[in-house]
Amino acid sequence: MALYQVENQWGGNSAPWHEGGKWIIGSRDNQNPIAVDLQSFDGGKTLKGTMSYEGEGVISVRATRHGCNNYRVENQWGGSDAQWHDAGQWILGFRADQSIIALSVKSTDGGNTLSGTTTYESEGAIGFNASRAPGEAFTVVNQWGGSQEPWREGGTWVLGSRLDQAVIAIDVQSNDNGKTLTGTMTYANEGAIGFKASLIGANNYKVQNQWGGSSAPWQPAGIWVIGYRNNQPVTALSLLTDDQGETLSGEMTYLNEGSIAISASVVGETEPA
């Protein structure tokens, strides 16, 4: 699963680059995408086109949006009559209520970076740069109404910012309707550290951590994706693990709702069939 930190540019080649959020592009752990060319003809509800993974030829892509900037993706190879294969859940886009309708990017370094253009609905094409970023993608489900009720789709989240060190606990709340989150978190093989995060895009939070006491400096901790809904941010989140971060479970709250159960599982690699 390839996590990318994205920047966008508009206004010419000398214009500044702007925060573009955390995206998931591709679904194979050890095989990066090296080209993606997608378009939508229905306002971003679906995307169709082609892509290439490192070391392979061009394959077809189709994607269907669900939730906020989450897409269920399939790939096809072997001709137009061949079967479609599951290609995981991607996160494409950074804005609420404005889906991407085109993405055309390539890599010259094996997928460590991607560059090209993207287009948001009702706008023209803008510059796109992306670099591989640390963190862990999780498939999330929620439950409300009691322990006998079904678990429901909760989207794909991105938690943590360290290589090979899983998140094993989070306990955060908001006092400003989800604009910021504060509390504590724990990485594997460490004690709890301070956590604060600011909402900078659709479910994208710029995170900082603090250790060494309340007067110690806050350290950058990357961009996390927390939540799944348009314009309804998370206002509380409490997660623990009993398997070293492969799964996390607990409770969460969306703005203007009560607490609901949450279960999160590390996204597994989607292999070509």
Side-chain angles (χ1 to χ4, degrees), residues 69-85:
N69 299 327
N70 278 236
Y71 285 83
R72 295 187 180 95
V73 181
E74 295 176 289
N75 288 137
Q76 183 191 54
W77 51 87
S80 59
D81 294 328
Q83 72 181 93
W84 287 88
H85 302 266

Side-chain angles (χ1 to χ4, degrees), residues 15-96:
W17 286 86
H18 302 267
E19 177 65 60
K22 185 67 67 68
W23 294 36
I24 297 175
I25 305 173
S27 60
R28 302 178 187 174
D29 280 348
N30 298 307
Q31 195 178 15
N32 292 333
I34 58 171
V36 181
D37 191 1
L38 301 175
Q39 285 190 313
S40 176
F41 299 98
D42 56 11
K45 294 178 182 177
T46 61
L47 294 160
K48 295 180 180 180
T50 61
M51 71 173 295
S52 299
Y53 280 104
E54 187 179 15
E56 292 188 8
V58 177
I59 59 178
S60 296
V61 181
R62 65 184 184 188
T64 303
R65 188 185 67 210
H66 62 100
C68 183
N69 299 327
N70 278 236
Y71 285 83
R72 295 187 180 95
V73 181
E74 295 176 289
N75 288 137
Q76 183 191 54
W77 51 87
S80 59
D81 294 328
Q83 72 181 93
W84 287 88
H85 302 266
D86 177 33
Q89 296 197 65
W90 299 11
I91 297 177
L92 304 174
F94 176 60
R95 304 177 186 177

Side-chain angles (χ1 to χ4, degrees), residues 251-270:
E251 295 184 341
M252 67 167 293
T253 308
Y254 278 107
L255 180 64
N256 298 321
E257 292 188 8
S259 177
I260 58 178
I262 177 173
S263 179
S265 303
V266 171
V267 174
E269 179 178 6
T270 300

Side-chain angles (χ1 to χ4, degrees), residues 10 22 29 31 64 80 107 113 129 190 199 228 252:
W10 51 87
K22 185 67 67 68
D29 280 348
Q31 195 178 15
T64 303
S80 59
S107 176
T113 63
N129 276 336
E190 291 188 8
L199 187 65
Y228 173 62
M252 67 167 293

